[in-house]
Amino acid sequence: RPAPWLAPALAVAAALLWLPQAGILATAVAGIAAGTGAASLVGPALCVLALGLLRAGLEALGGRLAWRAARAQLSDLRGRAVAALSARSPLDAGRIPSGEAASIVAEQAEAVVPWLARFRPARLKAAVLPLAIFLAILPFSWTAALVLLVALPVIPVFMVLVGWKAKAASEAQMVEVGGMNAFLLDRLRGMATIRSLGAIEATALRVRADAESLRARTMAVLRIAFLTSAVLELFAALGVAMVAVYIGFHLLGDLPFGAWGDKLTLAEGLFILLLAPAFFEPLRELSAVWHDKAAGEAGMAALQRAAEPGMALPGAEAEGAAPQTAAATALRLEDLRFRHAGAMQPGPRGLSLAIAPGEHVALVGPSGSGKSTLLSLIAGLAAPDSGRIEIDGRLLDAQAAAGLRARMAWIGQAPHI
């Protein structure tokens, strides 16, 4: 995997090549104005072409390395999130719903790649290139350099202010997307029940309301993105226009100050004019990826939340072990105790039970008395707080859970209402 600094460094190097290109172009145009022959332009034209090809190659290589590194990092994040979700017990009350988990891993995670691939190079260019252009212009005209220096700080301030709002809006949009996916998955699973109860219209109204809420949040994110671009373009246009006006009137002799005591030559004036738009170009690029940053940070936070450990599924790392036998099984429980995290009422407490091979037993009790919890403990989907579970004399613990689960079948209830 390439070093994380390589792609941003290549992007900065490519952007800095515009300085010699601008100098060669300005000198060539000034030569044409002075009446030099066309033959003298061959060398400068070849130099500009070579620098342009080198610049394009560096940009392409830097972008390729950045996207490759971002995709590899996202794959690692996804792997950790999927592993954490797979290792959590179905009894974990804090487990992310299936629809939301699918949205985080498959959809929201994709927002991380543009942020990792584009934002870091753009941020480094915004830090290095304006300073380099300022230092290149300053020896020729302190006035033009001062105009650019005054216009520059206003843009990041507004971008930061707008960026805070953009991040909050992106996080709210992703939460809305995850909630709607979970809602749709739940309703699709219970479609038969919805039809039998005549609740199709009510479900459709709920879907319409959720879709309208998602539309409103999406448009809020887009409005903030357009606001960021508008603020940047306004101050960038004002800065470039002020430099152009000054250079024009200075060359005409109406503004003779600002050039360290001497009047700028045509080549120097053109050089400053060519660099002025490039002074704001890194900030334009940073503004374009500012929304990617907000969405990427929200997606990263969602992935990190999905990767958080919870109630572990015993023996999850050994899942898929082959069943030992298909014969009837003996079951023995001794002083079994379990309580759900944060639950007011305890689950099974002090329960002991012995079931012979081939024996059929029905667990009877009111809703919430712990029947499903007991079956989950026997199936090895969670570890009891205390007590023992033995299957054919073998202790059900983290080492044996995967192998013993492979001998079981689970037919669960599906209460869609």
Side-chain angles (χ1 to χ4, degrees), residues 118-316:
R118 298 171 58 189
F119 181 73
R120 186 178 297 172
R123 182 178 58 184
L124 185 59
K125 287 170 63 176
V128 173
L129 193 58
L131 178 60
I133 292 177
F134 172 79
L135 295 177
I137 292 176
L138 185 60
F140 299 105
S141 172
W142 61 265
T143 301
L146 182 62
V147 169
L148 295 177
L149 188 63
V150 170
L152 179 66
V154 181
I155 299 173
V157 171
F158 277 92
M159 287 179 62
V160 169
L161 293 176
V162 176
W164 289 339
K165 186 69 175 177
K167 181 180 179 181
S170 297
E171 290 176 347
Q173 182 202 24
M174 289 192 173
V175 170
E176 192 78 20
V177 170
M180 188 171 184
N181 285 348
F183 173 78
L184 289 175
L185 180 60
D186 178 68
R187 294 307 183 269
L188 288 174
R189 286 172 173 170
M191 186 60 68
T193 305
I194 292 172
R195 288 182 178 276
S196 63
L197 294 178
I200 295 178
E201 184 176 355
T203 303
L205 290 175
R206 171 69 186 276
V207 172
R208 188 179 299 122
D210 286 357
E212 181 64 22
S213 176
L214 178 60
R215 183 198 65 81
R217 293 190 183 278
T218 302
M219 294 307 297
V221 174
L222 292 177
R223 279 196 300 269
I224 294 172
F226 284 124
L227 177 61
T228 307
S229 299
V231 169
L232 172 63
E233 292 299 332
L234 173 63
F235 288 101
L238 289 175
V240 173
M242 291 175 65
V243 171
V245 169
Y246 165 73
I247 294 297
F249 281 102
H250 179 83
L251 293 178
L252 292 174
D254 295 330
L255 296 176
F257 62 88
W260 304 108
D262 298 323
K263 184 179 179 180
L264 293 173
T265 64
L266 178 59
E268 294 170 346
L270 289 175
F271 178 67
I272 294 173
L273 286 177
L274 288 173
L275 291 185
F279 183 83
F280 296 100
E281 186 61 32
L283 294 176
R284 282 194 177 93
E285 186 176 346
L286 187 62
S287 174
V289 301
W290 200 258
H291 175 66
D292 292 335
K293 174 181 180 291
E297 287 180 342
M300 177 74 78
L303 276 175
Q304 290 174 345
R305 180 167 62 91
E308 291 177 355
M311 180 189 294
L313 178 66

Side-chain angles (χ1 to χ4, degrees), residues 61 112 311 343 414:
L61 179 59
V112 175
M311 180 189 294

